[in-house]
Amino acid sequence: MRIVIALGGNALLRRGDPLTTEVQRRNIRIAAEAIAPLAAEHSIVVVHGNGPQVGLLSLQAESYHDAEPYPLDVLDAGTQGIIGYLIQQELRSLLPPDRQVATLLTMITVDPGDPAFTRPAKFVGPVYAKESADALAAEKGWAFKQDGTAWRRVVPSPQPRQILEIAPISWLIERGAVVICAGGGGIPTMYPASGPGELVGVEAVIDKDLASELLAEDVAADLFVMATDVDGVYVGWATPQQRRLDRATPEELAGYQFAAGSMGPKVEAASRFAAKTGQRAAIGSLADITAIVAGQAGTSVVPQRAPDGPA
């Protein structure tokens, strides 16, 4: 079975963790230990988030006053290399020596007219107190929104349109490699709105779950898994009526509201994949990933229920 696994930010950095290589390596080792057994039986493609990391690199770049700061597309590329290397190294330590693991720098095009460019909403970087966020907004012109009890920088998050490296990604998969690609949602790029022309980078961050869904479609995945820090999709979250959905169709999920900054994109991506491909998508905890693959944990999103399926 060909499985695309999208690792949520908790696989790299838990909320409140310091942004150090040691902490990220420790968390990535946990993720690799969960993924490696699956790679013995299945074809695996790994996608990862990069929100805290790209925010940190942005802060570091801004603090260097002798040169222009790096734009977000360049920082996205940097985090693909950094995080991809750590995942690749940990997986290689756990897999047989002859099993290839490759990280591929991945560009994804977006539409210049995407309305997201006028509505920054994607969280990047660390959390701040309100006073610190206000100071950075005034100093650097950044946009901030509240994230829980803290504040984080937000940037545009346009829809992914085309994965430019899909041919080499597919080539590696077909030859048995575990492929790490489209990290952080891919490097956002675009062609001029007027037609064919120079490919340019974009000051944005593509949602990792939506980019992962496009990738899962393009590589004809049999299963698309989004591993996060909760054990599934809940309705009535944080109320006495909250309950986890074991199985749902895109139509059923469309009847509920999910938080735009957390579960919303995951539900959208899972629903899109199931509806377009007729295959199963799943959302759940990284710790349960083996059971999720077996359909015994997490929330499965399926194109339609079996006649005798559970309500």
Side-chain angles (χ1 to χ4, degrees):
M1 186 161 59
R2 182 170 295 176
I3 307 172
V4 170
I5 300 174
L7 296 175
N10 65 296
L12 309 174
L13 207 69
R14 294 175 174 84
R15 183 177 288 267
D17 276 354
L19 284 163
T20 65
T21 302
E22 179 183 357
V23 168
Q24 292 178 79
R25 186 184 295 280
R26 182 187 68 212
N27 291 337
I28 287 170
R29 184 173 295 121
I30 294 170
E33 288 171 348
I35 293 170
L38 295 175
E41 300 180 36
H42 306 287
S43 174
I44 301 294
V45 184
V46 178
V47 183
H48 59 79
N50 73 340
Q53 292 80 7
V54 78
L56 175 64
L57 291 186
S58 180
L59 281 175
Q60 291 175 335
E62 289 282 348
S63 69
Y64 184 60
H65 301 293
D66 293 334
E68 285 294 316
Y70 290 162
L72 270 177
D73 61 304
V74 175
L75 298 177
D76 286 333
T79 58
Q80 280 194 12
I82 292 168
I83 301 168
Y85 160 66
L86 293 173
I87 296 173
Q88 184 173 328
Q89 187 183 61
E90 292 301 325
L91 281 174
R92 275 194 174 274
S93 298
L94 295 168
L95 295 173
D98 61 346
R99 185 68 183 275
Q100 293 301 308
V101 183
T103 301
L104 193 67
L105 205 64
T106 312
M107 294 186 287
I108 299 181
T109 62
V110 299
D111 184 346
D114 194 303
F117 288 113
T118 63
R119 299 193 297 267
K122 182 67 174 176
F123 289 118
V124 298
V127 297
Y128 297 94
K130 182 67 165 62
E131 296 75 15
S132 299
D134 289 343
L136 284 168
E139 177 187 352
K140 302 181 183 299
W142 290 354
F144 283 85
K145 285 188 177 181
Q146 193 164 3
D147 182 15
T149 58
W151 292 76
R152 292 179 71 191
R153 183 188 176 193
V154 289
V155 299
S157 183
Q159 290 281 322
R161 296 299 178 191
Q162 181 185 11
I163 299 172
L164 296 181
E165 286 72 33
I166 196 62
I169 290 169
S170 299
W171 189 91
L172 287 164
I173 294 169
E174 289 163 3
R175 282 153 183 79
V178 175
V179 182
I180 303 157
C181 60
I187 304 164
T189 55
M190 67 170 62
Y191 292 104
S194 56
E198 180 184 2
L199 182 68
V200 297
V202 182
E203 189 77 353
V205 172
I206 300 171
D207 183 85
K208 175 258 303 169
D209 294 316
L210 299 183
S212 302
E213 189 281 325
L214 178 60
L215 174 69
E217 282 189 54
D218 285 352
V219 301
D222 302 294
L223 174 63
F224 171 39
V225 176
M226 284 167 281
T228 183
D229 57 354
V230 294
D231 63 353
V233 177
Y234 281 78
V235 295
W237 179 253
T239 71
Q241 291 76 38
Q242 78 171 33
R243 62 184 177 89
R244 182 170 64 83
L245 300 175
D246 293 326
R247 198 173 184 87
T249 66
E251 292 76 18
E252 289 166 343
L253 290 172
Y256 300 107
Q257 293 290 324
F258 300 98
S262 55
M263 190 55 72
K266 291 177 172 54
V267 169
E268 180 183 352
S271 296
R272 188 180 297 181
F273 178 77
K276 285 188 173 184
T277 69
Q279 303 285 5
R280 180 169 67 99
I283 302 169
S285 170
L286 176 66
D288 298 331
I289 196 164
T290 299
I292 289 171
V293 169
Q296 299 168 350
T299 297
S300 288
V301 181
V302 294
Q304 61 184 18
R305 287 190 181 277
D308 297 324

